[in-house]
Amino acid sequence: GAGVSQSPRYKVTKRGQDVALRCDPISGHVSLYWYRQALGQGPEFLTYFNYEAQQDKSGLPNDRFSAERPEGSISTLTIQRTEQRDSAMYRCASSWGPGELFFGEGSRLTVL
Amino acid sequence: KNEVEQSPQNLTAQEGEFITINCSYSVGISALHWLQQHPGGGIVSLFMLSSGKKKHGRLIATINIQEKHSSLHITASHPRDSAVYICAVDNNDMRFGAGTRLTVKP
């Protein structure tokens, strides 16, 4: 696609529900990064992939968070048993290897 | 201690002033990114540096690998430069500074 696409743009859910956030990177981009950003804060790294391989998941806050990129393109970030503290903007970025980052518009998650 | 420290946190300038935003990091890196986030929330990449200096229009970015320090300069600042500027270091993952909120007044 022309840019990094994320969906849904907005998600409101009740505490305890599972959510899945999708990132569709720029076609051909090898690296895909997931971040989250609380209001007024800088981005916080969550995890990243090279192709389909998850390279580093040290930024995932706990085991309720998981991510996959099974075919090396679209990625899904899943949050199980959501909690209010999970509320944030979840952003995805992609790059062709060690190159310029291209960011999606983000998915704003609100957990009630 | 954060692995990526930015200063200042907030910066207010008059139109036309020369702006410098600093980034220091404590880890080995393969590249450093300067990002711009506008009030609407979208993030765009300004520069990716692994050494030396890059210039794009009124923006200049420098990096000193030995000192683990980078600076972003804006010459002849303009109100439309008002944004949050974020430094991010690539160390097989991505670590971000907290950002510098720049306000340029007319």
Side-chain angles (χ1 to χ4, degrees):
Chain A
V4 179
S5 177
Q6 290 188 246
S7 62
R9 291 289 307 277
Y10 302 92
K11 176 71 176 178
V12 180
T13 190
K14 291 184 179 179
R15 183 167 53 92
Q17 297 294 306
D18 297 350
V19 297
L21 307 175
R22 172 183 164 129
C23 173
D24 193 349
I26 292 174
S27 179
H29 275 193
V30 168
S31 300
L32 184 149
Y33 302 84
W34 280 102
Y35 316 97
R36 70 177 176 180
Q37 189 170 17
L39 198 62
Q41 304 289 320
E44 173 192 10
F45 170 79
L46 295 177
T47 187
Y48 90 104
F49 295 83
N50 279 341
Y51 300 103
E52 72 282 358
Q54 192 169 15
Q55 299 294 316
D56 184 346
K57 52 184 181 179
S58 63
L60 295 175
N62 51 60
D63 61 7
R64 295 187 295 107
F65 287 72
S66 62
E68 62 175 9
R69 193 186 184 197
E71 297 179 1
S73 178
I74 292 169
S75 178
T76 302
L77 177 71
T78 301
I79 309 172
Q80 296 178 310
R81 305 180 303 281
T82 51
E83 302 178 3
Q84 286 184 324
R85 60 179 170 157
D86 300 334
S87 297
M89 176 73 84
Y90 288 82
R91 296 189 181 275
C92 169
S94 69
S95 69
W96 169 242
E100 183 181 356
L101 293 170
F102 293 83
F103 285 80
E105 291 297 312
S107 294
R108 182 168 294 285
L109 174 66
T110 302
V111 182
L112 301 177
Chain B
K1 186 180 183 302
N2 290 337
E3 292 167 314
V4 184
E5 296 277 357
Q6 279 187 243
S7 63
Q9 287 187 324
N10 294 284
L11 180 57
T12 300
Q14 288 298 127
E15 184 173 358
E17 286 185 1
F18 181 81
I19 304 293
T20 296
I21 299 171
N22 295 300
C23 175
S24 296
Y25 53 93
S26 57
V27 295
I29 67 170
S30 58
L32 181 144
H33 299 259
W34 280 103
L35 311 170
Q36 181 190 55
Q37 185 167 27
H38 275 283
I43 299 177
V44 296
S45 176
L46 298 175
F47 294 103
M48 189 195 76
L49 295 162
S50 53
S51 65
K53 177 179 174 178
K54 286 189 176 180
K55 184 176 189 295
H56 181 73
R58 295 180 295 105
L59 302 179
I60 303 167
T62 63
I63 188 168
N64 184 318
I65 297 293
Q66 287 73 30
E67 295 186 3
K68 297 187 174 178
H69 181 269
S70 177
S71 294
L72 176 69
H73 305 286
I74 305 174
T75 62
S77 59
H78 190 276
R80 65 175 175 264
D81 298 326
S82 298
V84 175
Y85 293 84
I86 301 167
C87 168
V89 298
D90 191 342
N91 177 30
N92 293 322
D93 55 25
M94 198 72 69
R95 304 294 173 179
F96 295 89
T100 295
R101 183 174 299 278
L102 172 65
T103 303
V104 181
K105 296 185 175 180

